[in-house]
Amino acid sequence: MKAKFKSIQNKDIENIIWWAQAATSYKECQMELSILAMADEKASKYLDAIDHNKWALYTQIGKMRLYGWQTTNFVESENNAAVGKRSLYLYHFFSDVMTTFMKNSFE
């Protein structure tokens, strides 16, 4: 989708798409798609035209077990990033995590 719609290079728009995909109800998914439509109407129509059973979480809730359903390397990459922090004492661990969080949040 990033290749098809250049606006998705914007992190906010990418997040809206993820929120639509992770919606737990049809109403929530449509709300996210309407927000996306305000930013990029073509991308919103493109997603809405795809069968939601193929990409939206809400269609699978109550029908199948969801563990392992949405697999990405996100968890593995985050675990690798935290390996060094695991050896720290609790205070130092939280201090380091909060310092990183504050730097990323307020740059």
Side-chain angles (χ1 to χ4, degrees):
M1 243 183 102
K2 284 184 178 182
K4 189 170 183 87
F5 300 100
K6 299 298 181 196
S7 65
I8 295 178
Q9 304 306 324
N10 180 330
K11 200 67 170 164
D12 293 332
I13 293 176
E14 185 177 345
N15 287 337
I16 294 168
I17 293 169
W18 279 103
W19 292 328
Q21 188 273 329
T24 56
S25 69
Y26 176 78
K27 184 178 178 180
E28 185 181 351
C29 182
Q30 289 303 311
M31 181 185 72
E32 294 299 338
L33 289 176
S34 67
I35 292 170
L36 177 60
M38 287 187 251
D40 188 336
E41 190 172 348
K42 288 180 182 179
S44 177
K45 287 181 180 180
Y46 177 80
L47 276 178
D48 205 26
I50 300 171
D51 181 16
H52 287 208
N53 286 316
K54 293 183 178 181
W55 66 274
L57 175 66
Y58 78 88
T59 62
Q60 304 303 319
I61 294 176
K63 294 180 183 176
M64 64 182 293
R65 289 181 269 177
L66 297 178
Y67 61 86
W69 183 77
Q70 182 183 8
T71 60
T72 65
N73 288 333
F74 175 77
V75 173
E76 290 83 0
S77 64
E78 288 300 308
N79 284 340
N80 287 336
V83 168
K85 294 178 185 178
R86 289 183 194 160
S87 63
L88 298 174
Y89 290 111
L90 194 57
Y91 171 80
H92 295 99
F93 170 80
F94 283 112
S95 177
D96 188 55
V97 169
M98 289 308 295
T99 301
T100 303
F101 170 75
M102 296 303 278
K103 284 180 182 176
N104 292 338
S105 296
F106 298 103
E107 286 182 340

